[in-house]
Amino acid sequence: MARYQRGFLKKKKGKWVFCYTAIRSIDGTRTERGRVVGPIAELSKSGAWAEVERRGLNMLVNGPDAGKQPTFGFIASHYLENHRFTNHGTEYLHNHIVKDYLVPRFGNDVASEIKSKEILGWLESQTFAECGDHGLENSTLGKIKTVMGTIYRHGQFEELISQTVAPNTKGQLKASNPVTFVRWSDKTDYEAFVLKPEQTMAVLDLLVQPEYTLLLMVAATGVRISEALALKWKSVLYDQNSIRIKNSWTYGQMGSGTKTQASKSTVPMHPALAEVLKAWQAETPYNKPDDFVFASVKLDGKKPRTGNMIVEDYLKPAAIKAGVIKIVNGKTHDMAGNVLKRFGFHCFRHTLASFLLAQGNSPVLIKNLLRWSKISMLDVYGHVMTDEKIAAQGSMLERIMPKTVAVQ
């Protein structure tokens, strides 16, 4: 073990040789390497060790094989195996991005030889403009770029690659993290679908238990579907008129926390919502404190229901029947004919924020109710309906048009 950690000196052909273990980038196994330190006639053993320290050769111990520079795939694997993820959803996402996108493209490339323009060109080749319906959204490609940069920083921190920006043989600056120079706008043309209160009511009227209670809670409190599915009865605090949000259910597992630190909080529970939850608790066989509020009957209550299945089997059919959305050529549209990229429970989180904004509630109240980490999220979630815009325009017209012209 000491040799792995420090290396050792040996005599070879009249010279001191510093021997150490390096990690082969191809398969990650340890291999022994050596560097000549100096003549034995000129250096004592302690002097040879001093020379090792002076030249920084001790930094090579357990580093990448100097003879074979580490591939991006090796660094990516090292990252997934050694990084301590605090959230299951984040771990799943990073594994997905690495194994399904980054490694297939860059896995066999030497990490230090990958160019910034090469990364940018690849990202551009994955857009909708280049791939049609098989392309990726700018926001998704932005996440891929971010993960790639994180992997490079991990490699730098672990000293698998250089930590500096240095000139190459042509005198040009070359960064060991090429993602640093990749500029990518992750803005998306996705626009959330916001329902009017009467549309939400129409959808609710077509649902039965437990889908009715689930949608009502999401629509009234703005909790994420992952948080609603992770909810257990012991976190429904009837005596305190609140619901404690502590975890999220993502990718079939209970996460160790919520999406953000601000999300891990409590949300108020109006008495009307509490009555609906009490009625569902009395009806469901899974009503003990440690039972899931929306437990799966098929799985004997051991796990909650699956969010995307609820959307496809209950929420979307109810919305279609209520005349809120329609399906044309296999794609989801609003009633005006606009294509909706997504329709699900998250729409009701946008709907709540927009409704509260239209009612004149303060941004601080909206931020706290939806448990945002920053108030600027209102720019994303706050939408104004067309009829509200027309009404506002009409108010101005009433003030500036001749009194003989009636403004409807």
Side-chain angles (χ1 to χ4, degrees):
M1 182 62 70
R3 287 188 174 187
Y4 287 158
Q5 295 176 350
R6 186 167 182 256
F8 62 97
L9 288 170
K10 73 176 182 180
K11 300 176 181 179
K12 186 176 182 180
K13 296 182 179 180
K15 298 177 182 179
W16 288 110
V17 178
F18 175 62
C19 299
Y20 61 94
T21 56
I23 302 174
R24 290 197 308 193
S25 59
I26 298 177
D27 53 14
T29 59
R30 295 179 183 276
T31 182
E32 186 172 298
R33 293 294 176 187
R35 291 289 187 91
V36 175
V37 178
I40 296 175
E42 298 178 9
L43 292 172
S44 63
K45 188 172 185 178
S46 59
W49 274 117
E51 182 66 9
V52 168
E53 294 285 339
R54 187 188 71 79
R55 292 168 56 184
L57 298 180
N58 56 314
M59 301 300 291
L60 298 173
V61 177
N62 292 330
D65 185 356
K68 297 179 180 179
Q69 292 299 310
T71 63
F72 178 81
F74 170 74
I75 298 176
S77 297
H78 192 279
Y79 167 72
L80 293 179
E81 292 171 4
N82 295 277
H83 182 73
R84 186 173 297 176
F85 292 95
T86 58
N87 183 283
H88 168 67
T90 302
E91 181 178 6
Y92 181 95
L93 178 64
H94 283 219
N95 272 273
H96 165 58
I97 288 176
V98 168
K99 295 176 180 179
D100 294 338
Y101 295 107
L102 294 176
V103 167
R105 173 58 184 84
F106 299 103
N108 294 325
D109 296 345
V110 175
S112 61
E113 298 299 324
I114 297 174
K115 305 294 192 296
S116 301
K117 286 186 177 181
E118 186 179 1
I119 298 171
L120 178 61
W122 176 71
L123 290 172
E124 292 174 339
S125 72
Q126 304 301 306
T127 60
F128 285 118
E130 293 294 327
C131 302
D133 291 340
H134 298 292
L136 300 174
E137 290 193 29
N138 286 345
S139 57
T140 300
L141 291 167
K143 291 177 183 177
I144 293 174
K145 169 186 172 277
T146 298
V147 172
M148 190 174 189
T150 300
I151 291 170
Y152 267 102
R153 287 192 296 275
H154 171 82
Q156 290 173 307
F157 179 80
E158 296 293 337
E159 298 181 357
L160 301 176
I161 54 177
S162 172
Q163 296 181 347
T164 61
V165 176
N168 59 17
T169 55
K170 296 181 180 180
Q172 300 168 325
L173 289 180
K174 180 181 177 182
S176 52
N177 185 347
V179 183
T180 303
F181 300 112
V182 178
R183 293 184 179 180
W184 186 263
S185 174
D186 57 4
K187 290 184 179 179
T188 176
D189 58 358
Y190 164 71
E191 186 173 348
F193 179 58
V194 178
L195 291 78
K196 297 178 180 179
E198 53 269 26
Q199 290 178 310
T200 300
M201 184 172 69
V203 175
L204 282 166
D205 285 343
L206 294 170
L207 295 175
V208 295
Q209 295 289 27
E211 292 79 28
Y212 174 86
T213 299
L214 175 58
L215 178 58
L216 184 68
M217 185 179 73
V218 170
T221 65
V223 296
R224 300 176 180 87
I225 184 61
S226 59
E227 297 166 345
L229 295 177
L231 191 64
K232 295 187 176 183
W233 286 113
K234 62 184 178 183
S235 294
V236 181
L237 311 176
Y238 295 115
D239 58 332
Q240 298 179 28
N241 296 320
S242 63
I243 300 171
R244 183 180 295 124
I245 303 297
K246 299 191 298 181
N247 302 99
S248 60
W249 184 269
T250 54
Y251 306 110
Q253 292 187 32
M254 181 73 83
S256 57
T258 52
K259 184 175 182 180
T260 66
Q261 188 61 37
S263 299
K264 193 172 184 178
S265 181
T266 58
V267 297
M269 178 173 57
H270 190 278
L273 175 60
E275 289 302 315
V276 174
L277 281 165
K278 286 179 181 178
W280 168 236
Q281 187 172 12
E283 181 179 339
T284 177
Y286 309 107
N287 53 21
K288 302 298 187 295
D290 282 315
D291 288 337
F292 290 105
V293 175
F294 302 104
S296 170
V297 176
K298 291 183 179 179
L299 299 175
D300 297 324
K302 296 178 182 179
K303 291 184 178 182
R305 302 277 297 281
T306 303
N308 58 356
M309 292 180 63
I310 298 174
V311 172
E312 294 300 321
D313 295 343
Y314 298 96
L315 181 58
K316 189 175 287 186
I320 294 172
K321 190 174 182 179
V324 174
I325 61 173
K326 58 183 178 181
I327 305 296
V328 180
N329 297 326
K331 294 185 178 181
T332 306
H333 295 68
D334 63 16
M335 300 312 289
N338 301 306
V339 177
L340 302 179
K341 289 190 175 180
R342 290 187 289 272
F343 177 81
F345 285 101
H346 200 63
C347 294
F348 296 90
R349 186 168 165 84
H350 282 263
T351 296
L352 176 61
S354 301
F355 175 77
L356 294 173
L357 182 64
Q359 294 295 305
N361 291 284
S362 73
V364 174
L365 184 147
I366 301 173
K367 168 185 174 294
N368 291 339
L369 183 59
L370 276 81
R371 295 164 295 120
W372 294 329
S373 57
K374 49 189 177 182
I375 205 167
S376 61
M377 290 300 294
L378 190 59
D379 293 337
V380 178
Y381 282 84
H383 309 272
V384 181
M385 296 287 193
T386 300
D387 54 357
E388 294 173 331
K389 296 177 183 178
I390 292 175
Q393 190 180 85
S395 299
M396 183 62 181
L397 289 171
E398 287 180 352
R399 301 295 296 272
I400 64 177
M401 289 184 69
K403 299 299 182 182
T404 55
V405 179
V407 178
Q408 299 298 326

